[in-house]
Amino acid sequence: KQRYQRRVRGSKVVIAYEPVWAIGTGKVATPEQAQEVHAKIRNWLSENVSSDVAGSVRIIYGGSVNAGNCGDLSLQRDIDGFLVGGASLKLDFIQIINCQQ
């Protein structure tokens, strides 16, 4: 635990999670599935680094996020944002940008 604490400043770290089965498929995890994995990542950080780092690291979701699913995903406690791929090339990308407001 100490070896990580000296090196990690949570506010400078972003972790992106995308399910392997979602890569390039257009499939998206349910909000509950994504939240479960994000919570496990945050819990691991808390146990292995520190609770301060776990609370300040941004954990973002990247599995086929689009204007139709970003709202439900953004309501999940441990999803801090999105890693957007192809949807960033579409006009409704602005809805993804604004979905947390």
Side-chain angles (χ1 to χ4, degrees):
K1 198 171 184 178
Q2 280 185 324
R3 72 178 172 172
Y4 295 121
Q5 287 177 337
R6 292 185 192 149
R7 297 179 185 189
V8 177
R9 287 194 171 86
S11 63
K12 305 258 185 210
V13 176
V14 176
I15 296 173
Y17 165 71
E18 180 173 2
V20 172
W21 50 262
I23 298 171
T25 66
K27 295 179 181 177
V28 64
T30 66
E32 295 79 16
Q33 289 170 325
Q35 168 57 30
E36 180 181 359
V37 175
H38 282 236
K40 287 180 181 180
I41 293 168
R42 200 170 303 281
N43 186 57
W44 186 92
L45 289 167
S46 183
E47 291 176 356
N48 292 281
V49 184
S50 75
S51 59
D52 288 341
V53 168
S56 61
V57 165
R58 292 185 53 81
I59 305 173
I60 60 177
Y61 178 76
S64 300
V65 174
N66 61 47
N69 59 33
C70 65
D72 290 336
L73 288 164
S74 71
L75 295 174
Q76 303 305 304
R77 186 183 70 196
D78 291 299
I79 297 177
D80 298 318
F82 305 115
L83 177 64
V84 182
S88 66
L89 303 174
K90 298 178 180 176
L91 283 176
D92 59 0
F93 178 54
I94 195 72
Q95 292 175 320
I96 300 170
I97 293 169
N98 293 325
C99 76
Q100 291 186 317
Q101 293 182 353

